[in-house]
C-alpha cells in the first residue's frame, strides 16, 4: 500500500493572500461550508440564503489555501452564472485566476472534446449544431429514409430532436419516452428509432455534434479512455457544482468521473427548488448524494436575506408537507412588520385580472417601480386575461415566459384559418394555413394561392357557400391529400352556407378537425398548447361577431398594435413582469402575485390525474419557488368560478397547496365589484 504524504499549504494564515476575514464576512452556516476540509460536501442552500456568495467564497478560500486556479473546476448551468461567479472571485482574490475552468456543463465538455475528439472518430474542428442546424439535418435524414407517412403525420424534426435529447439525458429508451411522454407517437416507434440511428451516423459523417453530444461524448470519452480520465481527475483537484438539484443523469455521471477517488467535490443546491424533471433533471441526484458519497458532510444555509418574515413563514409552511426532502427552516435576516400575505378569492378570471391591474396601478402610484412587480403563473395561458386587462389600462408589462399569448404560433395558426374564411383575399393567412400541411412548401402554397385567386370563389368578395367545392379541385402533393381534404371540410364548418359560426365554435372545429393532429406531430409541449387553444376558445365565448373577435386579436398583438406602445412595453426597466414560475426561478421582486391557485390549474390537472406522488411533490416545490420570489408583498389569488366552453360555468376548488398554510399566516381580502 502506498504511503500517504500531505504537502503543506502554500498559505499559512487563515485569511491568506486575499486578506479576506471569512468568519467576519459570512454567517456561521456559510462559513462552515466555505471553510470545510477537502472532501465530498453537500450544501443545501435555501432560497435567498446567499448561495452564490457561499460558492464564490469557497473558490477564494481554496485559492487562499494554495490551491492552483488551474486545479479548480466550477460547473454552472448558465454562461451568465459562470461569468458572474468569476467576476466575484476576481474581486475577492488579487491574483491571476485565468487557469480556473468555469462554465456550463456543455462549455466544459466542448473544451475537453476540442482536445480529444479524434479519440472518438471526429476531428477537433467538429461543428456544433444549434437547434436550427439540428432540425435541418434531421429533416434530411427523414427524407433519406423514405419514411412512408401516407395519410399520417410523422413527427416534425423539432419534436424528434426533443425526443432524442430526453432519451440521451435520462438514459431512458425511446420506447419508454414514447410510452410515458408521447403515447400518440407510438405508432411511429420503429421509424423514429431508425431516424435516431441514421441521425447519429449522419453527425459522424459530417463531423458534427449537437449540444447533447457535448455531454454524451465527453462522458463516453472519459469512460473508455482511462488515461484521459486520470489526466482530468489529476487536473481538477477540486470540483464545485452550482444548482446541483437541476442535474440530469448524464451530468451527474460526468461529475462523478471527473472527481475520481479523491472526492474533493462540493455541490450546492436546494432540493426544494428542483422543478425541471420535464427536461430531464433528477431530484434523486441531490437527495441521494450521501448514498453515493458516504463520507459527505452536509451543510445547511437557512438564513434568508431576501424576504420579510411574513413571507418566509408562509414559504416554510408551504413546503413542509413534502415527505421527500432535506428538512430546513428558512430564517429571516430582515425585520418583520410588513404586510401579511394576501389570500384573494375572486369571482372569475376576468375579475382576477381586474384586481391585479387595479392593485398594480395602486402600487405604482405608491412609488413601487413596475420592474419590482411580478405576476407568476403555472401555465402561459393563465396570463391571457391579465395581459388583456393590463393592455386596456395602458400598464406596461414584459413577458419572460415566452411570446405574448396572442403572438404564439399556435394561436396565430388558428386565427389565420378564421381570417381566411372571413376575408378570402387574405394571402398571408391562406399561405400560413397551407404551409401547416405535410408536403406543402412555399412554392406549392403560392401555386395554391394563385389557383384560388383565379377561381370564381377567389374572385368574389362574398363568402362562398362551400370552400371545399373549389379547393378540393386543386392539385396538392400526395402526402398532403388527406390533410388538404380535411382542411377543406373544416373551412366549410366555419361558415356553413356562407354564414359565419360563432368564434368559439370556429376554434372548436379547427382544433378537432385539423389542428390537434398537427400539434401532436409538431410540438413537444402539445398539451400546453392545446390548453392555450381551449383558453382562446373560452375567450371567444365573449363574442357573437367574428369580425369583432378578430379585431380584438389584432389589437391584443403588439405586432399589429401601436409601435409606440410596443416600444414602451419592451423597456424592461419600466415594465411589470409576467412570467411562468419555471422562468422566474432565481429571480426576485418586491411584490409578487401568484395567480390561478385553483385545483386543476395549480396544481396542474395532469399531475392530479396521474396520482404520482413524485410529480405532486415537484408541483408543490414549484409553488414554493413562486412564493419565495417575493421580498415585501405576496398576493395569492384564485377565481372561484371558471367559465368553460361547451360545459358551462363551474365552481373551482382552492388549490390544495393553500391547505398547508395556517390561516393566521394569510389575510383574506374580500374584493367586491360594482
Amino acid at each position: 500500500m502506498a504511503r500517504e504524504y500531505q504537502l503543506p499549504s502554500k498559505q499559512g494564515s487563515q485569511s491568506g493572500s486575499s486578506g479576506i476575514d471569512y468568519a467576519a464576512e459570512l454567517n456561521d452556516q456559510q462559513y462552515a461550508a466555505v471553510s470545510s476540509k477537502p472532501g465530498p460536501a453537500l450544501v443545501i442552500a435555501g432560497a435567498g440564503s446567499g448561495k452564490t456568495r457561499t460558492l464564490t467564497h469557497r473558490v477564494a478560500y481554496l485559492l487562499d489555501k494554495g490551491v492552483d486556479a488551474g486545479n479548480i473546476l466550477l460547473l454552472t448551468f448558465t454562461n451568465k452564472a459562470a461569468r458572474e461567479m468569476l467576476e466575484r472571485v476576481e474581486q475577492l482574490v488579487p491574483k491571476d485566476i485565468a487557469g480556473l475552468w468555469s462554465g456550463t456543463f456543455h462549455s466544459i465538455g466542448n473544451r475537453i472534446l476540442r482536445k480529444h475528439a479524434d479519440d472518438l472518430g471526429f476531428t477537433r474542428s467538429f461543428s456544433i449544431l444549434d437547434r436550427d442546424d439540428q432540425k435541418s439535418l434531421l429533416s434530411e435524414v427523414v427524407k433519406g429514409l423514405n419514411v412512408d407517412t401516407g395519410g399520417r403525420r410523422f413527427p416534425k424534426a423539432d419534436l424528434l430532436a426533443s425526443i432524442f435529447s430526453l432519451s440521451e439525458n435520462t438514459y431512458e429508451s425511446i420506447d419508454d419516452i414514447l410510452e410515458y411522454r408521447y403515447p400518440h407517437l407510438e405508432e411511429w416507434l420503429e421509424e423514429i428509432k431508425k431516424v435516431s440511428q441514421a441521425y447519429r451516423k449522419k453527425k459522424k459523417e459530417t463531423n458534427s455534434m449537437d449540444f447533447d453530444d457535448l455531454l454524451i461524448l465527453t462522458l463516453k470519452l472519459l469512460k473508455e479512455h482511462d488515461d484521459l480520465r486520470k489526466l482530468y481527475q489529476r487536473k481538477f483537484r477540486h470540483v464545485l457544482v452550482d444548482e446541483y438539484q437541476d442535474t440530469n443523469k448524464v451530468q451527474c455521471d460526468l461529475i462523478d468521473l471527473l472527481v475520481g477517488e479523491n472526492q474533493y467535490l462540493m455541490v450546492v443546491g436546494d432540493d426544494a427548488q428542483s422543478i425541471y424533471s420535464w427536461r430531464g433533471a433528477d431530484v434523486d441526484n441531490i437527495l441521494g448524494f450521501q448514498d453515493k458519497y458516504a463520507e459527505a458532510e452536509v451543510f445547511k444555509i437557512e438564513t434568508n436575506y431576501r424576504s420579510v418574515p411574513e413571507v418566509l413563514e408562509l414559504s416554510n409552511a408551504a413546503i413542509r408537507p413534502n415527505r421527500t426532502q432535506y428538512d430546513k427552516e428558512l430564517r429571516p435576516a430582515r425585520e418583520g412588520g410588513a404586510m401579511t400575505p394576501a389570500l384573494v378569492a375572486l369571482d372569475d378570471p376576468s375579475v382576477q385580472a381586474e384586481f391585479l391591474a387595479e392593485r398594480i396601478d395602486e402600487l405604482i402610484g405608491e412609488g413601487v417601480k413596475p420592474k419590482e412587480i411580478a405576476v407568476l403563473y403555472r401555465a402561459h395561458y393563465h396570463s391571457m386575461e391579465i395581459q388583456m386587462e393590463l393592455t386596456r389600462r395602458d400598464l406596461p408589462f414584459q413577458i419572460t415566459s415566452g411570446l405574448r399569448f396572442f403572438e404564439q404560433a399556435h394561436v396565430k395558426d388558428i386565427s389565420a384559418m378564421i381570417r381566411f374564411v372571413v376575408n378570402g383575399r387574405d394571402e398571408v393567412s391562406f399561405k400560413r394555413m397551407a404551409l401547416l400541411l405535410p408536403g406543402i412548401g412555399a412554392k406549392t402554397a403560392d401555386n395554391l394561392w394563385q389557383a384560388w385567386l383565379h377561381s370564381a370563389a377567389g374572385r368574389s368578395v362574398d363568402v362562398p357557400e362551400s370552400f371545399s367545392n373549389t379547393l378540393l379541385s386543386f392539385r396538392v402533393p400526395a402526402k398532403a391529400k388527406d390533410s388538404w381534404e380535411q382542411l377543406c371540410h373544416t373551412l366549410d364548418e366555419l361558415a356553413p352556407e356562407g354564414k359565419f359560426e360563432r368564434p368559439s365554435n370556429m376554434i372548436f372545429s379547427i382544433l378537432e378537425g385539423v389542428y390537434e393532429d398537427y400539434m401532436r406531430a409538431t410540438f413537444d409541449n402539445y398539451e400546453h398548447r392545446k390548453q392555450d387553444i381551449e383558453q382562446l376558445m373560452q375567450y371567444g365565448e365573449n363574442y357573437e361577431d367574428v369580425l369583432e373577435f378578430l379585431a380584438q386579436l389584432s389589437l391584443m398583438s403588439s405586432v399589429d398594435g401601436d409601435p409606440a406602445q410596443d416600444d414602451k412595453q419592451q423597456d424592461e426597466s419600466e415594465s411589470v413582469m409576467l412570467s411562468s414560475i419555471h422562468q422566474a426561478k432565481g429571480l426576485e421582486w418586491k411584490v409578487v402575485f401568484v395567480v390561478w391557485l385553483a385545483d386543476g390549474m395549480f396544481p396542474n390537472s395532469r399531475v392530479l390525474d396521474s396520482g404520482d406522488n413524485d410529480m405532486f411533490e415537484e408541483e408543490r416545490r414549484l409553488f414554493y419557488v413562486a412564493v419565495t420570489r417575493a421580498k415585501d408583498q405576496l398576493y395569492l389569488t384564485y377565481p372561484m368560478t371558471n367559465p368553460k366552453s361547451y360545459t358551462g360555468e363551474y365552481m373551482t376548488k382552492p388549490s390544495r397547496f393553500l391547505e398547508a398554510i395556517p390561516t393566521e399566516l394569510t389575510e383574506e381580502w374580500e374584493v367586491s365589484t360594482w
Side-chain angles (χ1 to χ4, degrees), residues 33 251 333 357 405 471 473 482 564 587:
Q251 290 162 331
F405 184 86
L471 294 173
S473 66
D482 290 344
L587 304 177

Side-chain angles (χ1 to χ4, degrees), residues 8-198:
S9 168
K10 296 178 184 177
Q11 303 291 342
S13 67
Q14 177 182 333
S15 61
S17 62
S18 69
I20 298 172
D21 186 341
Y22 291 94
E25 289 200 11
L26 303 167
N27 66 39
D28 290 345
Q29 290 182 326
Q30 291 172 337
Y31 177 69
V34 165
S35 61
S36 62
K37 67 182 185 298
L42 169 62
V43 181
I44 300 296
S49 64
K51 168 180 65 68
T52 301
R53 182 177 181 82
T54 301
L55 204 51
T56 52
H57 275 73
R58 174 63 174 181
V59 175
Y61 185 85
L62 292 174
L63 293 170
D64 274 346
K65 286 296 181 182
V67 177
D68 189 274
N71 294 137
I72 298 175
L73 171 63
L74 175 58
L75 289 164
T76 65
F77 271 84
T78 67
N79 290 315
K80 180 181 177 183
R83 287 195 301 270
E84 289 178 351
M85 288 190 189
L86 275 182
E87 288 170 1
R88 291 199 195 187
V89 172
E90 287 173 338
Q91 293 168 2
L92 289 170
V93 183
K95 63 170 63 175
D96 183 11
I97 61 169
L100 191 155
W101 280 40
S102 173
T104 65
F105 285 87
H106 294 88
S107 67
I108 297 300
N110 177 53
R111 288 185 69 173
I112 293 174
L113 290 170
R114 289 296 176 191
K115 297 175 181 291
H116 312 289
D118 47 352
D119 288 309
L120 295 169
F122 293 82
T123 75
R124 300 184 188 186
S125 60
F126 62 85
S127 298
I128 299 177
L129 304 171
D130 63 20
R131 192 66 164 188
D132 286 338
D133 298 331
Q134 190 179 16
K135 287 161 57 178
S136 296
L137 198 61
L138 274 167
S139 296
E140 286 297 316
V141 168
V142 172
K143 184 178 178 181
L145 289 175
N146 295 316
V147 176
D148 181 16
T149 59
R152 303 172 298 162
R153 286 186 182 275
F154 189 68
K156 296 287 183 69
D158 203 22
L159 181 50
L160 290 171
S162 295
I163 292 169
F164 299 156
S165 177
L166 195 58
S167 176
E168 290 187 324
N169 283 293
T170 61
Y171 297 153
E172 293 183 42
S173 68
I174 291 177
D175 305 61
D176 289 340
I177 294 292
L178 295 192
E179 180 181 356
Y180 296 115
R181 297 181 186 247
Y182 304 99
H184 56 279
L185 298 178
E186 285 191 282
E187 62 175 313
W188 292 112
L189 174 60
E190 294 308 315
E191 289 87 348
I192 290 173
K193 288 162 74 171
K194 288 179 182 177
V195 172
S196 176
Q197 294 169 359

Side-chain angles (χ1 to χ4, degrees), residues 66 89 102 180 183 197 265-266 381 407 433 493 504 570 628 663:
V89 172
S102 173
Y180 296 115
Q197 294 169 359
L265 168 67
M266 176 174 283
Y381 72 87
E407 294 171 0
M433 176 180 70
E493 291 182 19
S504 57
Q570 291 300 316
T628 53
T663 55

Side-chain angles (χ1 to χ4, degrees), residues 633-648:
Q633 297 185 33
L634 176 64
Y635 298 82
L636 308 175
T637 75
Y638 65 93
M640 293 182 287
T641 63
N642 185 26
K644 182 84 171 178
S645 298
Y646 299 98
T647 60

Side-chain angles (χ1 to χ4, degrees), residues 551-566:
Q552 285 300 313
L553 293 193
S554 294
L555 292 172
M556 293 306 300
S557 169
S558 65
V559 173
D560 302 321
D562 177 9
Q565 175 71 8
D566 185 53

Side-chain angles (χ1 to χ4, degrees), residues 34 38 113 142 147 156 178-179 257-258 311 350 365 367 399 407 421 453 518 526 547 571 644 647 653 666:
V34 165
L113 290 170
V142 172
V147 176
K156 296 287 183 69
L178 295 192
E179 180 181 356
L257 279 183
L258 289 171
V311 169
S350 295
I399 304 289
E407 294 171 0
V421 167
L453 282 182
Y518 171 79
Y526 149 73
L547 298 178
D571 184 355
K644 182 84 171 178
T647 60
K653 180 181 178 182
T666 61

Side-chain angles (χ1 to χ4, degrees), residues 327-572:
D327 291 330
K328 62 179 176 299
E329 193 83 5
L330 294 179
R331 298 190 295 268
R334 298 178 59 186
E335 293 185 0
M339 140 186 175
T340 300
L343 179 60
V344 192
L346 290 311
D347 288 345
D348 57 41
S350 295
V351 177
Q352 178 178 244
E354 289 177 31
F355 167 72
L356 261 68
E358 183 68 23
R359 187 68 189 121
I360 287 170
D361 202 11
E362 290 174 352
L363 288 165
I364 293 172
E366 293 167 7
V368 180
K369 294 180 181 179
K371 69 176 181 178
E372 290 288 357
I373 303 172
V375 179
L376 305 182
Y377 36 81
R378 174 64 176 86
H380 194 41
Y381 72 87
H382 291 165
S383 70
M384 189 181 76
E385 291 95 351
I386 298 165
Q387 290 186 44
M388 291 190 292
E389 189 63 29
L390 293 177
T391 300
R392 288 192 192 104
R393 296 184 182 228
D394 200 27
L395 291 169
F397 64 92
Q398 276 283 310
I399 304 289
T400 61
S401 56
L403 294 170
R404 296 180 182 224
F405 184 86
F406 295 103
E407 294 171 0
Q408 298 175 105
H410 48 294
V411 174
K412 293 182 79 68
D413 289 342
I414 295 286
S415 64
M417 297 185 198
I418 300 175
R419 287 176 190 273
F420 170 67
V421 167
V422 169
N423 174 19
R425 303 286 182 87
D426 189 336
E427 179 179 355
V428 172
S429 292
F430 178 92
K431 289 183 175 179
R432 184 183 186 106
M433 176 180 70
L435 288 169
L436 297 176
L437 305 185
I440 293 183
K443 184 176 180 180
T444 302
D446 187 61
N447 290 339
L448 291 170
W449 173 246
Q450 294 302 323
W452 170 255
L453 282 182
H454 288 89
S455 69
R459 291 193 298 270
S460 173
V461 295
D462 298 321
V463 180
E465 290 191 4
S466 170
F467 285 90
S468 59
N469 282 349
T470 300
L471 294 173
L472 285 176
S473 66
F474 295 174
R475 293 182 60 184
V476 297
K479 187 181 289 188
K481 185 178 179 182
D482 290 344
S483 298
W484 178 255
E485 184 175 331
Q486 182 60 54
L487 173 62
C488 294
H489 292 308
T490 298
L491 295 178
D492 287 341
E493 291 182 19
L494 307 190
E497 298 181 354
K499 296 180 181 179
F500 300 135
E501 280 280 1
R502 293 185 64 197
S504 57
N505 292 343
M506 287 183 164
I507 298 168
F508 179 80
S509 293
I510 293 169
L511 181 62
E512 294 291 309
V514 292
Y515 201 68
E516 184 165 10
D517 285 344
Y518 171 79
M519 287 195 297
R520 285 175 181 271
T522 304
F523 304 121
D524 59 355
N525 58 347
Y526 149 73
E527 288 289 349
H528 291 164
R529 293 181 188 251
K530 184 180 179 183
Q531 289 176 330
D532 284 349
I533 301 303
E534 290 173 346
Q535 189 76 4
L536 182 66
M537 193 188 311
Q538 179 179 312
Y539 174 62
E541 283 286 305
N542 299 319
Y543 298 89
E544 293 285 343
D545 185 353
V546 69
L547 298 178
E548 183 183 354
F549 172 73
L550 289 174
Q552 285 300 313
L553 293 193
S554 294
L555 292 172
M556 293 306 300
S557 169
S558 65
V559 173
D560 302 321
D562 177 9
Q565 175 71 8
D566 185 53
D567 288 343
K568 180 169 62 175
Q569 291 181 339
Q570 291 300 316
D571 184 355
E572 291 190 16

